[in-house]
Amino acid sequence: MSDKNFAAASLAAQAMGWIDPVTKAVVPPIHMASTYLRDADNAYRSGRIYARADNPTFDQVEATLAALEVGARALVFSSGMSAASACFLALSPGDHVVVPKVMYWALRSWLAGFATQWGLQVEFVDADHSDAIATAVQAGKTKLVWIETPANPTWTITDIAAAAEIAHRAGALLAVDSTVATPVLTRPIEQGADIVMHSATKYLNGHSDIIAGALVGARDDAYWTKLTAIRAQLGTILGQTEAWLLLRGMRTLFPRVAWACRSAQALAERFASHPMVDHVLYPGLASFAGHAIARKQMRDGFGGMLSVRVKGGERAAIATAARVELWKRATSLGGVESLIEHRASIEGTGTPCPADLLRLSVGVEDSDDLYRDLDQALRRAHNA
Ligand SMILES: Cc1ncc(COP(=O)(O)O)c(C=O)c1O
């Protein structure tokens, strides 16, 4: 199966159509070995030495992800955090990086804490304004611009093409956390990004049963070699069983994301006029600040994530989450089951997340059921 001849949905469904050359199995085996035989002449002609560097079970999942993101190479990691932090650890103390104020909270904490102590100069900006990125970058000094779009938990949109142009003009790379968009909706490399990062825990796997991360590189260059070395040296590789599960999950990525987008759009539109909802945050709403840019850089939908700001503030929001029956009260996102979360509670003190915000990850249940369940929870919370 050539990635040039088939649509991305077909490549994903058949995981590139690879067939096991030994058994003709249409599903690959899991390679458990931690070490590989050295040839008698002392060479390692198989290219494999020790499984802290890689594992044959990664080959198909990395090839599939690279094809879906139209990148040159992909690497799977033990988590989204280990994939993301590798991008910063591949820089040098003293380097300047530009990152968003609104982003996945644990990475924001790591950047403000460990990365800053290590010596990176980390500058937080309102990345939904390209001007703010342009003002922050320092030619020759800024080495990496990091963006997340749509960004947790308010789904602000960053213009990827504009950010790439600004970063490249300053001699910096652009990395995009595309966890929420997935390659179904956005292919950042086509818009100028150098690196795409995924918490593969989310939509790529889709079943809330593994922790995984991934990077895709536009080029197999010196920076990519550093990222590969960091994974091998720190041993932040994915387990082989998790890699196998991830590949299985990715086969249904396109139908899952399409379904979630349809439901999220319908729910956003219905809750926008709900008497107990103050505001719905969703890039697919025409009233949403980043809608025009989202239309430009996303196709076939605006994602399965939305947030509602509940009338009555924090207490009403927590009381609503307490009364759902179908939605599951849990953190994370991108699984087949719909999740609801009072986001400020998990992000803790100092979070920019509004206290009245409930984050919704829309799964593949019936959309009317999801509406009815949240509607009854909102009404009961307000009558309590
Ligand atoms: C947008 C985004 N990026 C990165 C991460 C971190 O990924 P992981 O939990 O797989 O380490 C998450 C996790 O929630 C996320 O939502």
Side-chain angles (χ1 to χ4, degrees):
M1 191 175 197
S2 156
D3 58 348
K4 291 192 180 65
N5 297 334
F6 296 102
S10 304
L11 296 178
Q14 296 199 5
M16 307 293 284
W18 288 17
I19 301 296
D20 178 58
V22 177
T23 63
K24 306 289 178 212
V26 298
V27 172
I30 301 179
H31 290 270
M32 299 304 289
S34 61
T35 193
Y36 299 87
L37 190 69
R38 189 188 272 277
D39 296 324
D41 63 0
N42 217 33
Y44 266 115
R45 238 169 250 99
S46 72
R48 315 254 182 209
I49 299 174
Y50 185 55
R52 178 156 38 71
D54 67 18
N55 183 301
T57 317
F58 301 166
D59 293 355
Q60 195 168 353
V61 68
E62 290 181 344
T64 305
L65 188 56
L68 296 183
E69 289 287 7
V70 294
R73 301 297 290 268
L75 286 168
V76 288
F77 284 77
S78 54
S79 66
M81 279 299 289
S82 60
S85 53
C87 297
F88 295 93
L89 294 172
L91 306 176
S92 303
D95 286 348
H96 179 250
V97 297
V98 175
V99 305
K101 285 183 188 161
V102 176
M103 71 186 302
Y104 173 58
W105 70 285
L107 184 58
R108 187 178 66 228
S109 308
W110 184 83
L111 288 164
F114 180 92
T116 302
Q117 281 161 24
W118 182 59
L120 284 185
Q121 292 181 30
V122 184
E123 189 161 345
F124 291 88
V125 301
D126 290 314
D128 48 336
H129 295 287
S130 300
D131 293 354
I133 302 176
T135 305
V137 293
Q138 301 171 30
K141 183 140 174 53
T142 307
K143 297 293 186 242
L144 185 69
V145 174
W146 180 274
I147 61 173
E148 177 182 327
T149 183
N152 263 291
T154 48
W155 319 116
T156 52
I157 299 290
T158 298
D159 187 329
I160 300 170
E165 211 209 305
I166 294 164
H168 294 161
R169 225 186 303 132
L173 297 172
L174 177 72
V176 181
D177 182 340
S178 199
T179 298
V180 170
T182 81
V184 178
L185 309 176
T186 309
R187 294 201 290 232
I189 289 173
E190 281 183 342
Q191 302 181 43
D194 303 287
I195 297 287
V196 179
M197 177 260 155
H198 286 281
S199 167
T201 311
K202 317 298 184 198
Y203 289 101
L204 292 183
N205 179 60
H207 293 79
S208 307
D209 51 11
I210 63 166
I211 298 288
L215 295 177
V216 182
R219 294 168 304 279
D220 189 355
D221 56 8
Y223 183 69
W224 188 256
T225 303
K226 276 193 194 170
L227 295 172
T228 309
I230 287 171
R231 187 185 72 168
Q233 288 161 353
L234 300 187
T236 48
I237 51 160
L238 192 55
Q240 51 276 68
T241 308
E242 286 77 3
W244 188 92
L245 281 167
L246 176 57
L247 184 69
R248 184 174 70 169
M250 279 169 54
R251 286 171 176 253
T252 55
L253 177 68
F254 279 73
R256 282 188 285 103
V257 169
W259 185 290
C261 283
R262 269 197 312 276
S263 281
Q265 182 76 40
L267 290 167
E269 286 169 10
R270 292 177 80 176
F271 281 114
S273 56
H274 194 282
M276 277 105 199
V277 169
D278 206 30
H279 203 131
V280 174
L281 301 166
Y282 184 63
L285 292 178
S287 57
F288 188 75
H291 180 66
I293 296 167
R295 280 187 82 88
K296 181 181 76 142
Q297 67 189 25
M298 300 178 83
R299 62 205 147 108
D300 300 334
F302 297 94
M305 298 301 301
L306 68 146
S307 295
V308 291
R309 297 189 61 179
V310 178
K311 280 189 185 156
E314 178 170 22
R315 274 185 51 188
I318 293 174
T320 300
R323 286 166 173 76
V324 290
E325 288 164 20
L326 182 60
W327 296 81
K328 294 289 167 281
R329 259 182 321 282
T331 196
S332 201
L333 60 98
V336 288
E337 64 287 290
S338 294
L339 304 182
I340 186 167
E341 181 178 41
H342 181 250
R343 191 65 194 163
S345 294
I346 194 144
E347 296 199 7
T349 43
T351 173
C353 177
D356 58 3
L357 182 145
L358 290 174
R359 190 180 83 166
L360 307 178
S361 170
V362 179
V364 299
E365 303 91 340
D366 180 82
S367 171
D368 287 337
D369 280 350
L370 291 171
Y371 179 81
R372 277 193 295 270
D373 188 40
L374 188 50
D375 171 53
Q376 66 78 23
L378 282 161
R379 290 176 194 280
R380 281 171 54 216
H382 279 81
N383 291 333

